[in-house]
Amino acid sequence: LDSTFMNSSATAGFFISKNKYSGFVKANFIFSGPNANDYSAEISNQYIQSIAKIPFVFKLNAHIEKRHPDFIFNTWLSNHFAWNNNFSPTDKIQSMFSVSTIDNRFDAGIVYQSMSNLIYFNELSVPEQTSVSIQNISAFIHKDVLLFKHLGIGARYQFQNSSYKAIVSVPDHIVNGSLYYQGNLFKKALQLQIGFNAQYFSEFYGYAYMPAINQYYVQTTKTVGGYPFVDFFLNARIKPVRIFIKIDHVTQGFMGNNYSLSPGYLQNDRAFKFGINWLFFD
C-alpha cells in the first residue's frame, strides 16, 4: 500500500507591533492533495497596561482549523488489529484569554475549546469518530511570592472540564506548589536554595495504553490520580562551583501506591540525583 502523500498549501501572515500592542494573524490553506480544503487560522493579541503602577500583559488568542484524519486512523493492518475507515475531517475552535505580570510571578487565564468529528481510540483500542460536538474548558491561576527576602512560595491551580468525559478524560483539579529558602550565607560566599516541589491532580479515568498499536485509548474501569508527588531539591553555588541535589518522589511508600498517569504504568520511583559544575580558570 502506497502511504506517501503530497499536499500543496499556501500560507499568509501579518504582524504588527506598536507602542504597547503587538499581534499577528496567520492562515494556511491546502488547495490540492489528499488533505485538500484543510485550513487553519490564528489570531494573537498582546497589550501591556499598568494598573496601580504594576505593568500587566493581557493576551487574547483564537485558533480555528479543519483537518483530515491522520493516516493511522483510516488504515491499519497488523497481526492483532486491522481497520479501513473513511473518517470525516475534524473541526476545532480554541480561544484563550490571560493576564500576567511582566515578571511572570502572577498569571491567570481561561481556555475554551470546541471540537466536532473528534477521532479517538475507543475501549476496544480501535479508532472511532464521535458525532457530537465536544466542549472543553480550562481555567488557571498562578502566583509566586518571596517573603522576608528569603522564603519563596509558589502555587498554581488549574480547573478542567469536558462536556464528554467518556472521551476527553482529564483531572478536574491540578495543583502545583513550591516552598523553598534562598539566601547568601557566610558573607555571600555561598548561594543556597533549598526546598520542595509538589504536584497533585484529582482522580480521573486515565487513558490505557495498547502496545500493539502504540496508542492510548479511553477506559472507564480504573481511576488514577489522587496522589501527591513531592520532590526535594538543593541548589548551591560557591564561587566557581555549582552543586545540585534532588530527591524525586519523596512521598513514595507514604501516600499509597496509585502514582500512575495510565493504568498499569507507574511513575518513576524515588530517585536520588546529584550533580556538580566546576569552572577552572587558568
Side-chain angles (χ1 to χ4, degrees):
L1 180 65
D2 185 2
S3 58
T4 301
F5 307 102
M6 179 177 293
N7 292 295
S8 300
S9 64
T11 302
F14 177 77
F15 176 81
I16 185 173
S17 178
K18 185 178 181 181
N19 298 330
K20 299 180 180 181
Y21 172 81
S22 64
F24 67 83
V25 177
K26 63 180 180 180
N28 178 271
F29 180 77
I30 298 178
F31 55 86
S32 68
N35 292 5
N37 297 321
D38 281 7
Y39 61 83
S40 67
E42 182 179 1
I43 182 172
S44 176
N45 301 275
Q46 177 176 299
Y47 181 73
I48 300 176
Q49 177 65 46
S50 294
I51 301 176
K53 298 183 179 181
I54 301 176
F56 285 87
V57 180
F58 296 86
K59 295 181 180 180
L60 178 61
N61 302 328
H63 179 262
I64 183 173
E65 72 172 9
K66 177 181 180 181
R67 176 175 175 174
H68 275 76
D70 293 337
F71 182 76
I72 186 177
F73 294 116
N74 277 332
T75 306
W76 181 272
L77 179 61
S78 67
N79 292 336
H80 304 287
F81 291 90
W83 57 75
N84 187 18
N85 301 312
N86 187 25
F87 289 133
S88 302
T90 298
D91 296 293
K92 183 175 74 171
I93 299 175
Q94 180 171 304
S95 59
M96 183 192 75
F97 173 76
S98 67
V99 57
S100 64
T101 54
I102 293 290
D103 58 8
N104 292 318
R105 287 185 173 271
F106 166 82
D107 69 288
I110 186 170
V111 180
Y112 172 79
Q113 183 184 80
S114 178
M115 298 181 291
S116 300
N117 299 322
L118 176 67
I119 303 172
Y120 65 99
F121 286 88
N122 61 24
E123 296 191 55
L124 299 177
S125 304
V126 297
E128 183 176 334
Q129 187 166 45
T130 175
S131 59
V132 300
S133 178
I134 301 176
Q135 287 75 43
N136 306 314
I137 190 171
S138 173
F140 62 90
I141 185 169
H142 156 256
K143 176 62 177 176
D144 288 334
V145 295
L146 186 64
L147 303 176
F148 314 113
K149 298 183 180 181
H150 297 289
L151 181 62
I153 302 174
R156 179 183 177 89
Y157 170 74
Q158 183 172 348
F159 170 78
Q160 303 177 128
N161 192 32
S162 174
S163 63
Y164 208 147
K165 290 188 176 182
I167 295 177
V168 182
S169 181
V170 293
D172 291 338
H173 310 280
I174 301 176
V175 181
N176 293 273
S178 61
L179 177 64
Y180 60 91
Y181 169 86
Q182 68 178 26
N184 298 321
L185 307 177
F186 305 109
K187 297 182 179 180
K188 299 184 179 182
L190 171 64
Q191 298 178 7
L192 179 68
Q193 187 181 70
I194 182 172
F196 294 90
N197 288 322
Q199 182 186 54
Y200 172 87
F201 52 89
S202 58
E203 290 188 349
F204 70 107
Y205 291 106
Y207 293 97
Y209 179 68
M210 174 52 67
I213 56 175
N214 194 28
Q215 293 292 329
Y216 288 90
Y217 63 94
V218 299
Q219 60 86 27
T220 57
T221 58
K222 187 176 181 179
T223 60
V224 297
Y227 180 92
F229 291 88
V230 179
D231 301 330
F232 167 82
F233 66 90
L234 183 149
N235 300 311
R237 180 173 182 177
I238 307 174
K239 294 185 178 179
V241 182
R242 290 185 297 172
I243 301 172
F244 82 86
I245 297 174
K246 186 177 182 182
I247 303 177
D248 292 334
H249 199 177
V250 175
T251 48
Q252 182 189 3
F254 300 99
M255 300 290 182
N257 57 7
N258 190 24
Y259 52 95
S260 62
L261 294 177
S262 180
Y265 293 87
L266 296 176
Q267 295 294 93
N268 293 334
D269 293 332
R270 185 183 299 112
F272 177 83
K273 300 177 181 180
F274 170 82
I276 184 171
N277 183 304
W278 194 331
L279 298 177
F280 294 92
F281 300 96
D282 295 331

